[in-house]
PDB file of all heavy atoms in Angstrom:
ATOM      1  N   ALA N1471      15.557  -0.844  -8.077  1.00 97.00           N
ATOM      2  CA  ALA N1471      14.129  -0.759  -8.114  1.00 97.00           C
ATOM      3  C   ALA N1471      13.565  -0.939  -6.734  1.00 97.00           C
ATOM      4  O   ALA N1471      12.566  -0.182  -6.320  1.00 97.00           O
ATOM      5  CB  ALA N1471      13.603  -1.816  -9.080  1.00 97.00           C
ATOM      6  N   PHE N1472      14.027  -1.953  -5.992  1.00 97.00           N
ATOM      7  CA  PHE N1472      13.463  -2.186  -4.640  1.00 97.00           C
ATOM      8  C   PHE N1472      13.807  -1.130  -3.633  1.00 97.00           C
ATOM      9  O   PHE N1472      13.027  -0.648  -2.798  1.00 97.00           O
ATOM     10  CB  PHE N1472      13.962  -3.538  -4.082  1.00 97.00           C
ATOM     11  CG  PHE N1472      13.182  -4.666  -4.713  1.00 97.00           C
ATOM     12  CD1 PHE N1472      13.863  -5.625  -5.583  1.00 97.00           C
ATOM     13  CD2 PHE N1472      11.815  -4.827  -4.467  1.00 97.00           C
ATOM     14  CE1 PHE N1472      13.131  -6.674  -6.068  1.00 97.00           C
ATOM     15  CE2 PHE N1472      11.153  -5.907  -4.998  1.00 97.00           C
ATOM     16  CZ  PHE N1472      11.783  -6.904  -5.840  1.00 97.00           C
ATOM     17  N   PHE N1473      15.075  -0.632  -3.709  1.00 97.00           N
ATOM     18  CA  PHE N1473      15.412   0.556  -2.795  1.00 97.00           C
ATOM     19  C   PHE N1473      14.609   1.828  -3.172  1.00 97.00           C
ATOM     20  O   PHE N1473      14.252   2.603  -2.281  1.00 97.00           O
ATOM     21  CB  PHE N1473      16.855   0.779  -2.897  1.00 97.00           C
ATOM     22  CG  PHE N1473      17.686  -0.174  -2.119  1.00 97.00           C
ATOM     23  CD1 PHE N1473      19.112  -0.206  -2.291  1.00 97.00           C
ATOM     24  CD2 PHE N1473      17.112  -1.052  -1.302  1.00 97.00           C
ATOM     25  CE1 PHE N1473      19.921  -1.152  -1.556  1.00 97.00           C
ATOM     26  CE2 PHE N1473      17.794  -2.023  -0.591  1.00 97.00           C
ATOM     27  CZ  PHE N1473      19.194  -2.067  -0.696  1.00 97.00           C
ATOM     28  N   GLY N1474      14.324   1.994  -4.454  1.00 97.00           N
ATOM     29  CA  GLY N1474      13.468   3.114  -4.910  1.00 97.00           C
ATOM     30  C   GLY N1474      12.064   2.962  -4.348  1.00 97.00           C
ATOM     31  O   GLY N1474      11.520   3.944  -3.863  1.00 97.00           O
ATOM     32  N   LEU N1475      11.497   1.767  -4.352  1.00 97.00           N
ATOM     33  CA  LEU N1475      10.181   1.574  -3.753  1.00 97.00           C
ATOM     34  C   LEU N1475      10.173   1.795  -2.263  1.00 97.00           C
ATOM     35  O   LEU N1475       9.237   2.424  -1.706  1.00 97.00           O
ATOM     36  CB  LEU N1475       9.669   0.133  -4.078  1.00 97.00           C
ATOM     37  CG  LEU N1475       8.340  -0.239  -3.412  1.00 97.00           C
ATOM     38  CD1 LEU N1475       7.196   0.659  -3.892  1.00 97.00           C
ATOM     39  CD2 LEU N1475       7.984  -1.674  -3.725  1.00 97.00           C
ATOM     40  N   ALA N1476      11.199   1.329  -1.538  1.00 97.00           N
ATOM     41  CA  ALA N1476      11.368   1.597  -0.124  1.00 97.00           C
ATOM     42  C   ALA N1476      11.444   3.053   0.135  1.00 97.00           C
ATOM     43  O   ALA N1476      10.823   3.540   1.151  1.00 97.00           O
ATOM     44  CB  ALA N1476      12.605   0.924   0.389  1.00 97.00           C
ATOM     45  N   THR N1477      12.168   3.857  -0.664  1.00 97.00           N
ATOM     46  CA  THR N1477      12.234   5.288  -0.452  1.00 97.00           C
ATOM     47  C   THR N1477      10.850   5.916  -0.573  1.00 97.00           C
ATOM     48  O   THR N1477      10.441   6.836   0.126  1.00 97.00           O
ATOM     49  CB  THR N1477      13.181   5.874  -1.530  1.00 97.00           C
ATOM     50  OG1 THR N1477      14.414   5.351  -1.362  1.00 97.00           O
ATOM     51  CG2 THR N1477      13.291   7.448  -1.327  1.00 97.00           C
ATOM     52  N   PHE N1478      10.059   5.439  -1.572  1.00 96.00           N
ATOM     53  CA  PHE N1478       8.709   5.963  -1.820  1.00 96.00           C
ATOM     54  C   PHE N1478       7.810   5.675  -0.595  1.00 96.00           C
ATOM     55  O   PHE N1478       7.034   6.534  -0.135  1.00 96.00           O
ATOM     56  CB  PHE N1478       8.120   5.294  -3.023  1.00 96.00           C
ATOM     57  CG  PHE N1478       6.651   5.720  -3.339  1.00 96.00           C
ATOM     58  CD1 PHE N1478       6.262   6.874  -3.786  1.00 96.00           C
ATOM     59  CD2 PHE N1478       5.667   4.733  -3.009  1.00 96.00           C
ATOM     60  CE1 PHE N1478       4.909   7.242  -4.005  1.00 96.00           C
ATOM     61  CE2 PHE N1478       4.323   5.034  -3.209  1.00 96.00           C
ATOM     62  CZ  PHE N1478       3.981   6.283  -3.665  1.00 96.00           C
ATOM     63  N   CYS N1479       7.912   4.418  -0.077  1.00 96.00           N
ATOM     64  CA  CYS N1479       7.137   4.025   1.049  1.00 96.00           C
ATOM     65  C   CYS N1479       7.346   4.863   2.282  1.00 96.00           C
ATOM     66  O   CYS N1479       6.451   5.321   2.999  1.00 96.00           O
ATOM     67  CB  CYS N1479       7.227   2.476   1.383  1.00 96.00           C
ATOM     68  SG  CYS N1479       6.670   1.472   0.082  1.00 96.00           S
ATOM     69  N   PHE N1480       8.731   5.047   2.595  1.00 96.00           N
ATOM     70  CA  PHE N1480       9.029   5.816   3.722  1.00 96.00           C
ATOM     71  C   PHE N1480       8.715   7.313   3.613  1.00 96.00           C
ATOM     72  O   PHE N1480       8.344   8.054   4.481  1.00 96.00           O
ATOM     73  CB  PHE N1480      10.492   5.665   4.026  1.00 96.00           C
ATOM     74  CG  PHE N1480      10.829   4.318   4.576  1.00 96.00           C
ATOM     75  CD1 PHE N1480      11.799   3.541   3.956  1.00 96.00           C
ATOM     76  CD2 PHE N1480      10.204   3.731   5.642  1.00 96.00           C
ATOM     77  CE1 PHE N1480      12.107   2.285   4.436  1.00 96.00           C
ATOM     78  CE2 PHE N1480      10.488   2.478   6.085  1.00 96.00           C
ATOM     79  CZ  PHE N1480      11.465   1.694   5.554  1.00 96.00           C
ATOM     80  N   GLY N1481       8.747   7.724   2.302  1.00 95.00           N
ATOM     81  CA  GLY N1481       8.380   9.107   1.969  1.00 95.00           C
ATOM     82  C   GLY N1481       6.856   9.319   2.262  1.00 95.00           C
ATOM     83  O   GLY N1481       6.423  10.373   2.719  1.00 95.00           O
ATOM     84  N   VAL N1482       6.087   8.273   2.031  1.00 93.00           N
ATOM     85  CA  VAL N1482       4.613   8.360   2.279  1.00 93.00           C
ATOM     86  C   VAL N1482       4.333   8.473   3.833  1.00 93.00           C
ATOM     87  O   VAL N1482       3.489   9.265   4.250  1.00 93.00           O
ATOM     88  CB  VAL N1482       3.881   7.121   1.758  1.00 93.00           C
ATOM     89  CG1 VAL N1482       2.522   6.972   2.342  1.00 93.00           C
ATOM     90  CG2 VAL N1482       3.845   7.095   0.310  1.00 93.00           C
ATOM     91  N   THR N1483       5.229   7.862   4.597  1.00 93.00           N
ATOM     92  CA  THR N1483       5.082   7.926   6.018  1.00 93.00           C
ATOM     93  C   THR N1483       5.382   9.411   6.476  1.00 93.00           C
ATOM     94  O   THR N1483       4.585   9.865   7.367  1.00 93.00           O
ATOM     95  CB  THR N1483       6.177   7.057   6.654  1.00 93.00           C
ATOM     96  OG1 THR N1483       5.916   5.650   6.251  1.00 93.00           O
ATOM     97  CG2 THR N1483       5.990   7.051   8.193  1.00 93.00           C
ATOM     98  N   VAL N1484       6.311  10.053   5.972  1.00 92.00           N
ATOM     99  CA  VAL N1484       6.601  11.441   6.350  1.00 92.00           C
ATOM    100  C   VAL N1484       5.409  12.394   5.810  1.00 92.00           C
ATOM    101  O   VAL N1484       4.997  13.227   6.544  1.00 92.00           O
ATOM    102  CB  VAL N1484       7.955  11.871   5.720  1.00 92.00           C
ATOM    103  CG1 VAL N1484       8.214  13.374   6.035  1.00 92.00           C
ATOM    104  CG2 VAL N1484       9.061  11.058   6.281  1.00 92.00           C
ATOM    105  N   PHE N1485       5.022  12.048   4.602  1.00 90.00           N
ATOM    106  CA  PHE N1485       3.972  12.941   3.976  1.00 90.00           C
ATOM    107  C   PHE N1485       2.686  12.820   4.821  1.00 90.00           C
ATOM    108  O   PHE N1485       1.938  13.865   5.079  1.00 90.00           O
ATOM    109  CB  PHE N1485       3.644  12.444   2.543  1.00 90.00           C
ATOM    110  CG  PHE N1485       2.496  13.122   1.907  1.00 90.00           C
ATOM    111  CD1 PHE N1485       2.586  14.432   1.458  1.00 90.00           C
ATOM    112  CD2 PHE N1485       1.303  12.444   1.766  1.00 90.00           C
ATOM    113  CE1 PHE N1485       1.543  15.096   0.871  1.00 90.00           C
ATOM    114  CE2 PHE N1485       0.200  13.065   1.152  1.00 90.00           C
ATOM    115  CZ  PHE N1485       0.382  14.412   0.790  1.00 90.00           C
ATOM    116  N   GLU N1486       2.341  11.566   5.350  1.00 88.00           N
ATOM    117  CA  GLU N1486       1.120  11.429   6.142  1.00 88.00           C
ATOM    118  C   GLU N1486       1.149  12.210   7.492  1.00 88.00           C
ATOM    119  O   GLU N1486       0.144  12.669   7.909  1.00 88.00           O
ATOM    120  CB  GLU N1486       0.932   9.942   6.388  1.00 88.00           C
ATOM    121  CG  GLU N1486       0.171   9.198   5.347  1.00 88.00           C
ATOM    122  CD  GLU N1486      -1.272   9.662   5.129  1.00 88.00           C
ATOM    123  OE1 GLU N1486      -1.965   9.763   6.132  1.00 88.00           O
ATOM    124  OE2 GLU N1486      -1.661   9.920   4.036  1.00 88.00           O
ATOM    125  N   GLN N1487       2.384  12.389   7.957  1.00 85.00           N
ATOM    126  CA  GLN N1487       2.536  13.063   9.238  1.00 85.00           C
ATOM    127  C   GLN N1487       2.183  14.529   9.056  1.00 85.00           C
ATOM    128  O   GLN N1487       1.681  15.173   9.988  1.00 85.00           O
ATOM    129  CB  GLN N1487       3.977  12.978   9.706  1.00 85.00           C
ATOM    130  CG  GLN N1487       4.229  13.501  11.111  1.00 85.00           C
ATOM    131  CD  GLN N1487       3.357  12.758  12.200  1.00 85.00           C
ATOM    132  OE1 GLN N1487       3.148  11.545  12.105  1.00 85.00           O
ATOM    133  NE2 GLN N1487       2.921  13.565  13.184  1.00 85.00           N
ATOM    134  N   GLN N1488       2.322  15.010   7.853  1.00 84.00           N
ATOM    135  CA  GLN N1488       2.096  16.482   7.586  1.00 84.00           C
ATOM    136  C   GLN N1488       0.745  16.698   6.915  1.00 84.00           C
ATOM    137  O   GLN N1488       0.317  17.852   6.779  1.00 84.00           O
ATOM    138  CB  GLN N1488       3.218  17.090   6.707  1.00 84.00           C
ATOM    139  CG  GLN N1488       4.645  16.945   7.399  1.00 84.00           C
ATOM    140  CD  GLN N1488       5.660  17.438   6.411  1.00 84.00           C
ATOM    141  OE1 GLN N1488       5.480  17.685   5.288  1.00 84.00           O
ATOM    142  NE2 GLN N1488       6.885  17.560   6.894  1.00 84.00           N
ATOM    143  N   ARG N1489       0.070  15.657   6.547  1.00 78.00           N
ATOM    144  CA  ARG N1489      -1.193  15.760   5.849  1.00 78.00           C
ATOM    145  C   ARG N1489      -2.258  16.169   6.811  1.00 78.00           C
ATOM    146  O   ARG N1489      -2.401  15.628   7.877  1.00 78.00           O
ATOM    147  CB  ARG N1489      -1.629  14.433   5.162  1.00 78.00           C
ATOM    148  CG  ARG N1489      -2.739  14.580   4.203  1.00 78.00           C
ATOM    149  CD  ARG N1489      -3.077  13.191   3.623  1.00 78.00           C
ATOM    150  NE  ARG N1489      -4.069  13.269   2.617  1.00 78.00           N
ATOM    151  CZ  ARG N1489      -4.986  12.436   2.332  1.00 78.00           C
ATOM    152  NH1 ARG N1489      -5.045  11.297   3.029  1.00 78.00           N
ATOM    153  NH2 ARG N1489      -5.906  12.560   1.329  1.00 78.00           N
ATOM    154  N   LYS N1490      -3.112  17.080   6.434  1.00 72.00           N
ATOM    155  CA  LYS N1490      -4.129  17.662   7.339  1.00 72.00           C
ATOM    156  C   LYS N1490      -5.456  16.877   7.154  1.00 72.00           C
ATOM    157  O   LYS N1490      -6.122  16.568   8.196  1.00 72.00           O
ATOM    158  CB  LYS N1490      -4.388  19.109   7.040  1.00 72.00           C
ATOM    159  CG  LYS N1490      -3.145  19.961   7.305  1.00 72.00           C
ATOM    160  CD  LYS N1490      -3.435  21.483   7.099  1.00 72.00           C
ATOM    161  CE  LYS N1490      -2.221  22.356   7.406  1.00 72.00           C
ATOM    162  NZ  LYS N1490      -2.424  23.734   7.194  1.00 72.00           N
ATOM    163  N   THR N1491      -5.946  16.662   5.980  1.00 64.00           N
ATOM    164  CA  THR N1491      -7.153  15.974   5.818  1.00 64.00           C
ATOM    165  C   THR N1491      -6.997  14.440   5.569  1.00 64.00           C
ATOM    166  O   THR N1491      -6.006  14.000   4.856  1.00 64.00           O
ATOM    167  CB  THR N1491      -7.987  16.524   4.665  1.00 64.00           C
ATOM    168  OG1 THR N1491      -9.140  15.819   4.410  1.00 64.00           O
ATOM    169  CG2 THR N1491      -7.124  16.523   3.316  1.00 64.00           C
ATOM    170  N   THR N1492      -7.930  13.594   5.933  1.00 57.00           N
ATOM    171  CA  THR N1492      -7.783  12.181   5.793  1.00 57.00           C
ATOM    172  C   THR N1492      -9.115  11.603   5.214  1.00 57.00           C
ATOM    173  O   THR N1492      -9.408  10.424   5.376  1.00 57.00           O
ATOM    174  CB  THR N1492      -7.537  11.435   7.131  1.00 57.00           C
ATOM    175  OG1 THR N1492      -8.487  11.728   8.065  1.00 57.00           O
ATOM    176  CG2 THR N1492      -6.124  11.897   7.637  1.00 57.00           C
ATOM    177  N   LYS N1493      -9.952  12.414   4.635  1.00 59.00           N
ATOM    178  CA  LYS N1493     -11.265  11.956   4.117  1.00 59.00           C
ATOM    179  C   LYS N1493     -11.217  11.284   2.821  1.00 59.00           C
ATOM    180  O   LYS N1493     -11.905  10.402   2.504  1.00 59.00           O
ATOM    181  CB  LYS N1493     -12.198  13.194   3.976  1.00 59.00           C
ATOM    182  CG  LYS N1493     -12.513  13.839   5.370  1.00 59.00           C
ATOM    183  CD  LYS N1493     -13.455  14.932   5.235  1.00 59.00           C
ATOM    184  CE  LYS N1493     -13.840  15.608   6.632  1.00 59.00           C
ATOM    185  NZ  LYS N1493     -14.741  16.681   6.475  1.00 59.00           N
ATOM    186  N   ASN N1494     -10.233  11.656   1.942  1.00 65.00           N
ATOM    187  CA  ASN N1494     -10.221  11.044   0.630  1.00 65.00           C
ATOM    188  C   ASN N1494      -9.348   9.812   0.572  1.00 65.00           C
ATOM    189  O   ASN N1494      -8.493   9.592   1.491  1.00 65.00           O
ATOM    190  CB  ASN N1494      -9.653  12.082  -0.387  1.00 65.00           C
ATOM    191  CG  ASN N1494     -10.565  13.337  -0.486  1.00 65.00           C
ATOM    192  OD1 ASN N1494     -11.766  13.260  -0.427  1.00 65.00           O
ATOM    193  ND2 ASN N1494      -9.905  14.467  -0.578  1.00 65.00           N
ATOM    194  N   GLY N1495      -9.567   9.040  -0.431  1.00 66.00           N
ATOM    195  CA  GLY N1495      -8.787   7.805  -0.626  1.00 66.00           C
ATOM    196  C   GLY N1495      -7.275   8.101  -0.964  1.00 66.00           C
ATOM    197  O   GLY N1495      -7.046   9.165  -1.482  1.00 66.00           O
ATOM    198  N   ARG N1496      -6.358   7.275  -0.644  1.00 82.00           N
ATOM    199  CA  ARG N1496      -4.942   7.537  -0.771  1.00 82.00           C
ATOM    200  C   ARG N1496      -4.362   6.657  -1.874  1.00 82.00           C
ATOM    201  O   ARG N1496      -4.137   5.459  -1.671  1.00 82.00           O
ATOM    202  CB  ARG N1496      -4.188   7.278   0.540  1.00 82.00           C
ATOM    203  CG  ARG N1496      -4.707   8.089   1.712  1.00 82.00           C
ATOM    204  CD  ARG N1496      -3.988   7.589   2.991  1.00 82.00           C
ATOM    205  NE  ARG N1496      -4.208   8.423   4.106  1.00 82.00           N
ATOM    206  CZ  ARG N1496      -5.282   8.311   4.991  1.00 82.00           C
ATOM    207  NH1 ARG N1496      -6.230   7.467   4.689  1.00 82.00           N
ATOM    208  NH2 ARG N1496      -5.345   9.135   5.966  1.00 82.00           N
ATOM    209  N   TRP N1497      -4.203   7.213  -3.093  1.00 88.00           N
ATOM    210  CA  TRP N1497      -3.654   6.427  -4.146  1.00 88.00           C
ATOM    211  C   TRP N1497      -2.252   5.951  -3.921  1.00 88.00           C
ATOM    212  O   TRP N1497      -1.860   4.874  -4.319  1.00 88.00           O
ATOM    213  CB  TRP N1497      -3.748   7.232  -5.463  1.00 88.00           C
ATOM    214  CG  TRP N1497      -2.746   8.440  -5.405  1.00 88.00           C
ATOM    215  CD1 TRP N1497      -3.045   9.677  -5.102  1.00 88.00           C
ATOM    216  CD2 TRP N1497      -1.372   8.395  -5.755  1.00 88.00           C
ATOM    217  NE1 TRP N1497      -1.885  10.492  -5.174  1.00 88.00           N
ATOM    218  CE2 TRP N1497      -0.850   9.726  -5.645  1.00 88.00           C
ATOM    219  CE3 TRP N1497      -0.534   7.374  -6.198  1.00 88.00           C
ATOM    220  CZ2 TRP N1497       0.431  10.075  -5.807  1.00 88.00           C
ATOM    221  CZ3 TRP N1497       0.861   7.768  -6.449  1.00 88.00           C
ATOM    222  CH2 TRP N1497       1.359   9.055  -6.202  1.00 88.00           C
ATOM    223  N   TYR N1498      -1.523   6.733  -3.147  1.00 90.00           N
ATOM    224  CA  TYR N1498      -0.084   6.412  -2.936  1.00 90.00           C
ATOM    225  C   TYR N1498       0.037   5.276  -1.934  1.00 90.00           C
ATOM    226  O   TYR N1498       0.996   4.502  -1.923  1.00 90.00           O
ATOM    227  CB  TYR N1498       0.686   7.660  -2.377  1.00 90.00           C
ATOM    228  CG  TYR N1498      -0.037   8.367  -1.242  1.00 90.00           C
ATOM    229  CD1 TYR N1498      -0.014   8.044   0.081  1.00 90.00           C
ATOM    230  CD2 TYR N1498      -0.898   9.522  -1.573  1.00 90.00           C
ATOM    231  CE1 TYR N1498      -0.627   8.690   1.010  1.00 90.00           C
ATOM    232  CE2 TYR N1498      -1.492  10.168  -0.583  1.00 90.00           C
ATOM    233  CZ  TYR N1498      -1.423   9.811   0.704  1.00 90.00           C
ATOM    234  OH  TYR N1498      -2.085  10.528   1.637  1.00 90.00           O
ATOM    235  N   MET N1499      -0.998   5.078  -1.158  1.00 90.00           N
ATOM    236  CA  MET N1499      -1.014   3.783  -0.351  1.00 90.00           C
ATOM    237  C   MET N1499      -1.395   2.607  -1.132  1.00 90.00           C
ATOM    238  O   MET N1499      -0.823   1.500  -1.013  1.00 90.00           O
ATOM    239  CB  MET N1499      -2.011   3.986   0.857  1.00 90.00           C
ATOM    240  CG  MET N1499      -2.195   2.705   1.696  1.00 90.00           C
ATOM    241  SD  MET N1499      -3.469   2.880   2.883  1.00 90.00           S
ATOM    242  CE  MET N1499      -3.604   1.165   3.412  1.00 90.00           C
TER     243      MET N1499
END
């Protein structure tokens, strides 16, 4: 469970690098 959560968090870091717009709220954060 904890390693799965860590994978999700680091995946968010990669996704944010490629995200173009930052105006809307981030549910994944």
Side-chain angles (χ1 to χ4, degrees):
F1472 281 115
F1473 283 170
L1475 177 60
T1477 302
F1478 173 78
C1479 294
F1480 291 126
V1482 168
T1483 304
V1484 177
F1485 174 76
E1486 275 295 314
Q1487 186 63 34
Q1488 301 175 352
R1489 190 183 188 214
K1490 296 181 180 180
T1491 177
T1492 60
K1493 294 182 180 180
N1494 299 324
R1496 301 170 171 88
W1497 66 266
Y1498 46 85
M1499 176 187 166

